[in-house]
Amino acid sequence: MQSRSPRILIYSHDTFGLGHLRRSRVIAQALVDHRPDTSILIVAGSPVVGSFSFPPQVDFIRVPGVVKLGTDSYAPSNPGLSIEDLTEIRSAIIKKTAEIFDPDIFLVDKEPLGMRGEVGESLAFLKTTGCRLVLGLRDIMDEPSRLAEEWHRKGAFAAVEDLYDDVWIYGLPEICDPLEGIGVSDRVRQRAVFTGYLPRADEPSGALPERIRIGERPYVLVTTGGGGDGARLVDWVLRAYESCDTIGVRAKIVLGPFMESGYAADFQKRGRRLDSVDLITFAASIEPLIERAEGLVAMGGYNTFCEILSFDKPAVIVPRRHPRLEQFIRASRAEELGLARMLLDDEVDDAAIMADAIRGLPTQSRPQAAAIPKLLGGVETIRRLVDAIVAEGRPAPGQSTGISDASSEARYQVQRFART
């Protein structure tokens, strides 16, 4: 049995954007709400992690940051370091944190071995302590052939097969199975649980700029997540308002903290000329803006999709298709199921298409009309999974961390809950 309060270490693969950090934060918040005696540490590299609020039981350790140059290509934020030195520093911090914090559960987000393999040593060490090693995957990673090649190249298949006790998939197979077609073993399949999507709740907005808070007029919210690759979408929306004064609903545009400064300055200048457009650079708590919106125009990232579902908002999704097809696959499936409308940026030169899409948002069908069971069951399922792990307790050092009969039965019940 558990002899102390549970400890959970979360590795947030946040080399670019906000998605991984925000997903880790939602899970941490849900777990301490459910089990207030739980202590959680989040290891993150995001430069904006300090802008987010955390409950007292949740803290974070920020490792030195990187800049993403392309798919699986990174450079240190600090130009005085090589990427090799930076990876070694990050790896050492993560491992020392694991040794001292001594978690009962280590939840690794997305990358089985972390950026450039930086959590490999921590996984190997924690395997000897009886810590439960869990890989958390979003609903869609990439098209199967590309993901299989990437996992082979990084040694991820061996890590998932030999190190991890569980795989939590934050979605439903009705939308996508990220393990399908990549060649994982039946053994890994048996460890995988589809949790459902992670619901979001309204929370205090903090200090929003006066221009965003003024007035109660209806608006659509335009969001690009972190904003690093959202310039095309923002430009398309601005051109729609610049060329058409009969859209009939205002736009509030959140640029995101990682949008290139030249683009952001140009968009702010253009926005000031438009009476029907407000712009804000960054809102750590974007939920209040979503809750009050008539609908959303957004890219197709995982967190934004969860927010669309959680607040039951009609949405137009404009997915990116490079460097991964993740957003396109999600948006395509969402449109097929009646959860959202998709526009492709092939049509970005036609401002009228975006104007028509925004104009139609207030009368567009809402996601709940699709009536997909357990769509937002993620938080409840993860709580049940953690309860089962804590109830089982940690094996003595040197003993197997394999799943007991009791835990297997609990896992079966959770899988049945998530899929029914």
Side-chain angles (χ1 to χ4, degrees):
M1 295 296 292
Q2 190 78 20
S3 60
R4 66 174 191 187
S5 297
R7 296 181 182 180
I8 301 174
L9 181 63
I10 299 177
Y11 167 81
S12 175
H13 179 72
D14 53 3
T15 53
F16 182 70
L18 297 173
H20 307 289
L21 174 61
R22 294 186 65 211
R23 182 162 57 242
S24 298
R25 178 173 172 261
V26 166
I27 293 171
Q29 177 74 62
L31 288 176
V32 297
D33 285 348
H34 176 61
R35 303 184 66 100
D37 62 333
T38 304
S39 296
I40 298 180
L41 267 181
I42 299 175
V43 177
S46 172
V48 298
V49 63
S51 300
F52 291 89
S53 61
F54 295 92
Q57 306 97 316
V58 180
D59 208 340
F60 65 87
I61 293 175
R62 190 195 163 200
V63 294
V66 297
V67 176
K68 191 169 185 177
L69 304 178
T71 305
D72 300 325
S73 178
Y74 306 99
S77 297
N78 184 334
L81 291 173
S82 68
I83 189 62
E84 291 78 16
D85 288 344
L86 181 72
T87 304
E88 189 172 345
I89 291 170
R90 286 170 56 115
S91 179
I93 292 172
I94 297 166
K95 186 169 185 288
K96 195 64 177 178
T97 299
E99 291 172 352
I100 296 173
F101 187 57
D102 187 26
D104 302 293
I105 299 171
F106 184 29
L107 175 57
V108 175
D109 184 73
K110 181 184 176 285
E111 287 286 346
L113 289 169
M115 186 199 76
R116 295 175 56 88
E118 66 184 3
V119 298
E121 290 185 9
S122 297
L123 288 166
F125 166 74
L126 289 173
K127 190 73 173 176
T128 68
T129 71
C131 175
R132 192 64 161 257
L133 304 179
V134 181
L135 176 63
L137 299 178
R138 64 187 181 222
D139 58 341
I140 299 160
M141 301 291 287
D142 201 347
E143 56 183 322
S145 61
R146 290 189 60 182
L147 181 60
E149 185 279 328
E150 179 182 327
W151 274 24
H152 275 299
R153 175 167 40 85
K154 294 180 177 179
F157 281 109
V160 176
E161 185 74 35
D162 300 332
L163 293 175
Y164 282 98
D165 302 296
D166 305 276
V167 179
W168 296 349
I169 301 170
Y170 309 130
L172 289 179
E174 293 90 333
I175 295 181
C176 189
D177 179 355
L179 300 180
E180 183 70 32
I182 67 171
V184 297
S185 68
D186 289 342
R187 188 162 167 249
V188 170
R189 278 279 184 192
Q190 291 167 5
R191 300 174 189 165
V193 177
F194 286 87
T195 68
Y197 288 88
L198 300 172
R200 308 303 164 88
D202 199 353
E203 58 182 77
S205 62
L208 291 176
E210 286 295 328
R211 193 163 184 238
I212 295 299
R213 292 190 291 166
I214 288 174
E216 297 296 330
R217 287 180 292 177
Y219 64 88
V220 299
L221 185 69
V222 181
T223 174
T224 65
D229 53 3
R232 281 169 64 85
L233 174 58
V234 173
D235 175 68
W236 197 1
V237 171
L238 286 173
R239 282 189 289 107
Y241 280 90
E242 288 166 343
S243 62
C244 179
D245 57 5
T246 60
I247 292 178
V249 61
R250 298 179 63 79
K252 293 188 186 294
I253 302 174
V254 182
L255 299 178
F258 301 122
M259 182 166 287
E260 196 274 321
S261 59
Y263 285 126
D266 177 63
F267 295 152
Q268 292 279 7
K269 183 178 179 180
R270 290 165 63 184
R272 284 192 289 269
R273 301 191 192 110
L274 297 167
D275 292 336
S276 295
V277 173
D278 301 318
L279 287 98
I280 180 174
T281 300
F282 175 51
S285 296
I286 198 172
E287 290 86 353
L289 292 174
I290 296 174
E291 196 277 332
R292 298 178 184 114
E294 295 286 302
L296 271 71
V297 178
M299 298 179 68
Y302 178 86
N303 288 284
T304 301
F305 187 59
C306 287
E307 289 157 352
I308 290 167
L309 300 180
S310 298
F311 292 98
D312 195 30
K313 296 296 180 179
V316 173
I317 297 177
V318 185
R320 71 164 181 248
R321 286 177 280 179
H322 304 285
R324 299 182 184 275
L325 285 176
E326 170 221 342
Q327 292 191 6
F328 173 73
I329 295 170
R330 183 180 297 115
S332 300
R333 189 62 179 140
E335 186 169 62
E336 290 172 7
L337 293 171
L339 297 169
R341 177 184 176 187
M342 179 176 69
L343 289 182
L344 296 180
D345 58 8
D346 294 345
E347 303 171 308
V348 71
D349 291 335
D350 192 340
I353 291 175
M354 178 59 73
D356 288 341
I358 296 171
R359 188 182 295 112
L361 267 173
T363 57
Q364 184 177 309
S365 296
R366 294 173 178 265
Q368 286 184 12
I372 298 174
K374 304 297 182 184
L375 185 62
L376 287 166
V379 160
E380 184 62 29
T381 303
I382 290 171
R383 286 171 172 169
R384 291 178 182 226
L385 287 164
V386 170
D387 283 346
I389 293 170
V390 172
E392 181 179 324
R394 293 171 67 173
Q399 290 185 354
S400 170
T401 57
I403 302 164
S404 70
D405 291 341
S407 181
S408 295
E409 176 62 24
R411 183 217 284 279
Y412 169 74
Q413 295 295 337
V414 171
Q415 285 178 312
R416 188 172 66 175
F417 167 82
R419 291 173 175 169
T420 58

